[in-house]
Amino acid sequence: MAAYTSPAGETCAPSATVKHYDRLVQHGSLRKDAQQREVFLQLAQLQQTLKNYSNSIYLNPPPSSINSKDDNYRLQKENKDERLSAKEEPSQTPPPPPKGFYIYGDVGTGKTMLMDMFYSRVENPRKKRVHFNGFMLDIHKRIHRRKQSLPKRRLGKMFTYDPISPVAMEISNETCLLCFDEFQVTDIADAMILKQLFETLLKTGVVVVATSNRPPADLYKNGLQRDTFLPFIDVLKEYCHTVCLDSGIDYRRLDKAEAGKLYYLTEEPGAEAFLDALFEELALTQKSVTGPRLLTVLGRDVTLEKTCGSIADCTFDELCGRPLGASDYLEMARLFDTVFIRHVPLLTLSLKDQARRFTTLIDNFYDNKVRVVLLAEAPVERLFVHSGGEDERDRQLLDDLGLSGDAAEHLTLFTAEEEIFAFQRTVSRLTEMQTELYWMEGDRRYYKKHVNT
């Protein structure tokens, strides 16, 4: 593992940040892990660099991509206003910005914990920490907003507008440090915009620190039109140190005090009754009545049939059997601190869509400390089954894309390779979500009372 050095080329001495990590180990809050400490030492050095860092000298927006003489006045003015917020281009080329970090490794090795400890101690107000799903949702919203603000096209007056660079400049003006949890690319729409987006972000001095289960070379592996995505990997490697954190230990699955039984099997006698009783017990603490709840997400209505205050009692089909996505699950995580998920089936290859949604659901719930109680057909480690074969929709999609049957053996869209890989993270997270510590941290009433005292 290569040591990170300061801009002067000298390795920084262990800081108070690393001493804080050492104290957590000494007090038993963390287990001794040489790999973790080495990675954290490198992050601590970057933390010192970022203390007085500003990316303002790199802010020089590209010219507007509007190609119309009649309709581009407002958009040119918008880009001019963006340029006014940045300093004039220096006469000499500025030094390269600090390199960020791309930390990858197996599930539960402490990547997110280290990044969060680093982020919490960076003394720079222009910083942002997001789950990668949430970040991409924000990007799509910004792109949509810019497209909506375009002047109406006049008959016979054609113009093209590429909103990605202006959106990247928008973010570069807002922040100089972006921390991403669970950097992953499974969506072709995301894959197509990442290169241009991140090329602009990184070249305008935004420092990126990201965690992922995949090394950079495996991002969007076997995805549709991956050739167009590959240049992004080169950009990522140029601006970020690539660090592997893989001690072989999943700390989420080590012995921890359980919060009582929170994962039930469908075949267990009285399982449904246990969930009913737990829901009623938790509902007594709510200042609300049990009933349906209407959620409005991006202009769409999503109804959950049984809720009570901050508790939702749902079926798997209700959450993952209909076309919901990260934006819907983020809204649920905002409104509910406890979600019951009943009748989770064996996730075979014929349920790839549902498996993708379930993984996204757990990612967003875990990131927002939502507590879950599950009733499933199999133990969590045996929930995803790599069998079931292709379905009629897969064959139809192959035809629509003009691909041969052989393509289904290689593209993750059909093989469910990405789902199998991601489900390892889901299993690890669900295990931690059943611990007493997680359950207590997820009680928002307790947390607010604790913070206010």
Side-chain angles (χ1 to χ4, degrees):
M1 187 183 298
Y4 171 73
T5 56
S6 67
E10 297 177 355
T11 304
C12 300
S15 65
T17 303
V18 179
K19 291 177 181 176
H20 171 69
Y21 175 87
D22 290 339
R23 281 197 298 273
L24 290 175
V25 173
Q26 290 166 7
H27 295 158
S29 301
L30 296 176
R31 296 203 177 200
K32 187 174 182 180
D33 187 316
Q35 271 199 1
Q36 274 190 8
R37 191 181 186 281
E38 173 60 25
V39 172
F40 196 57
L41 175 62
Q42 297 179 57
L43 288 171
Q45 291 161 4
L46 177 60
Q47 174 208 333
Q48 294 176 354
T49 302
L50 293 175
K51 187 172 183 179
N52 299 308
Y53 175 69
S54 171
N55 64 328
S56 59
I57 60 172
Y58 304 100
L59 294 174
N60 184 22
S64 172
S65 54
I66 293 290
N67 296 323
S68 168
K69 293 181 180 178
D70 298 324
D71 296 318
N72 67 355
Y73 172 75
R74 184 161 60 82
L75 291 166
Q76 287 178 340
K77 183 177 184 301
E78 188 178 275
N79 278 346
K80 182 179 178 182
D81 291 342
E82 286 176 351
R83 282 195 289 272
L84 289 175
S85 67
K87 293 183 179 179
E88 293 184 3
E89 185 178 353
S91 56
Q92 294 182 346
T93 303
K99 271 195 170 187
F101 283 90
Y102 181 94
I103 307 168
Y104 73 95
D106 210 350
V107 296
T109 53
K111 303 180 296 296
T112 299
M113 177 200 71
L114 293 182
M115 185 184 73
D116 285 345
M117 286 174 63
F118 155 78
Y119 179 83
S120 68
R121 301 179 81 85
V122 170
E123 298 175 27
N124 191 316
R126 296 179 65 244
K127 63 179 182 176
K128 188 173 186 180
R129 189 270 193 213
V130 289
H131 191 281
F132 191 66
N133 280 338
F135 175 75
M136 292 310 300
L137 278 172
D138 180 53
I139 294 300
H140 287 295
K141 286 179 185 176
R142 291 179 190 241
I143 289 173
H144 178 72
R145 189 167 62 241
R146 281 186 171 267
K147 286 182 175 179
Q148 291 293 103
S149 69
L150 286 172
K152 289 186 177 180
R153 189 172 63 189
R154 297 176 190 171
L155 188 63
K157 300 289 184 181
M158 301 294 292
F159 64 83
T160 59
Y161 178 56
D162 178 7
I164 298 175
S165 290
V167 164
M169 288 304 305
E170 208 174 87
I171 296 168
S172 297
N173 277 282
E174 295 169 2
T175 184
C176 61
L177 170 65
L178 273 175
C179 289
F180 296 113
D181 190 28
E182 298 303 343
F183 198 105
Q184 56 183 323
V185 189
T186 58
D187 186 304
I188 188 170
D190 292 348
M192 293 303 101
I193 68 173
L194 274 173
K195 176 185 178 292
Q196 185 180 351
L197 179 75
F198 272 81
E199 199 166 57
T200 303
L201 287 174
L202 294 166
K203 286 184 177 178
T204 52
V206 176
V207 178
V208 169
V209 176
T211 70
S212 179
N213 295 136
R214 287 195 180 277
D218 285 353
L219 287 171
Y220 198 50
K221 187 178 180 181
N222 296 329
L224 281 171
Q225 300 179 30
R226 189 172 187 257
D227 288 350
T228 60
F229 175 79
L230 290 177
F232 164 71
I233 296 175
D234 295 330
V235 172
L236 189 66
K237 289 179 177 178
E238 181 182 353
Y239 285 91
C240 293
H241 298 282
T242 302
V243 177
C244 178
L245 178 59
D246 203 350
S247 59
I249 301 172
D250 183 348
Y251 287 103
R252 297 191 190 113
R253 304 189 73 170
L254 294 181
D255 292 336
K256 293 181 181 178
E258 293 187 358
K261 192 169 174 62
L262 302 173
Y263 192 103
Y264 293 84
L265 297 178
T266 307
E267 63 186 22
E268 291 183 71
E272 287 270 13
F274 280 121
L275 265 69
D276 291 341
L278 181 56
F279 177 85
E280 293 301 329
E281 179 184 336
L282 293 172
L284 290 173
T285 67
Q286 302 292 312
K287 297 176 181 178
S288 183
V289 295
T290 300
R293 182 82 172 266
L294 180 67
L295 285 60
T296 301
V297 184
L298 300 178
R300 295 179 294 103
D301 289 340
V302 178
T303 302
L304 299 183
E305 295 299 331
K306 185 180 178 182
T307 70
C308 184
S310 64
I311 307 166
D313 191 350
C314 309
T315 65
F316 177 85
D317 194 56
E318 192 176 7
L319 295 174
C320 305
R322 48 182 172 164
L324 302 181
S327 56
D328 304 290
Y329 301 139
L330 281 169
E331 179 64 8
M332 293 176 197
R334 186 183 71 82
L335 295 172
F336 305 107
D337 65 8
T338 308
V339 177
F340 288 66
I341 309 174
R342 299 179 187 241
H343 312 307
V344 181
L346 280 174
L347 298 171
T348 63
L349 289 186
S350 59
L351 296 175
K352 290 193 295 291
D353 288 346
Q354 291 90 329
R356 290 184 186 114
R357 292 181 195 125
F358 187 64
T359 297
T360 303
L361 172 80
I362 297 302
D363 276 347
N364 284 284
F365 281 8
Y366 177 86
D367 204 46
N368 290 278
K369 282 287 187 286
V370 176
R371 309 183 297 185
V372 295
V373 182
L374 290 102
L375 176 64
E377 195 171 329
V380 63
E381 62 275 6
R382 298 207 299 269
L383 205 51
F384 195 96
V385 181
H386 192 191
S387 65
E390 65 174 336
D391 58 21
E392 182 59 35
R393 281 190 317 145
D394 283 355
R395 289 190 287 273
Q396 183 63 50
L397 186 54
L398 281 168
D399 292 340
D400 291 345
L401 294 170
L403 298 171
S404 68
D406 294 339
E409 298 178 8
H410 306 289
L411 294 174
T412 54
L413 182 64
F414 302 103
T415 63
E417 178 186 347
E418 194 65 43
E419 288 73 26
I420 295 167
F421 189 87
F423 208 76
Q424 297 171 9
R425 180 175 72 250
T426 303
V427 170
S428 176
R429 290 186 160 184
L430 282 172
T431 302
E432 182 180 347
M433 291 166 89
Q434 295 172 60
T435 64
E436 183 179 7
L437 178 61
Y438 183 93
W439 188 262
M440 290 177 60
E441 289 177 343
D443 187 339
R444 294 176 191 172
R445 293 176 304 111
Y446 166 82
Y447 180 75
K448 286 176 183 176
K449 188 185 298 184
H450 183 71
V451 169
N452 292 334
T453 56

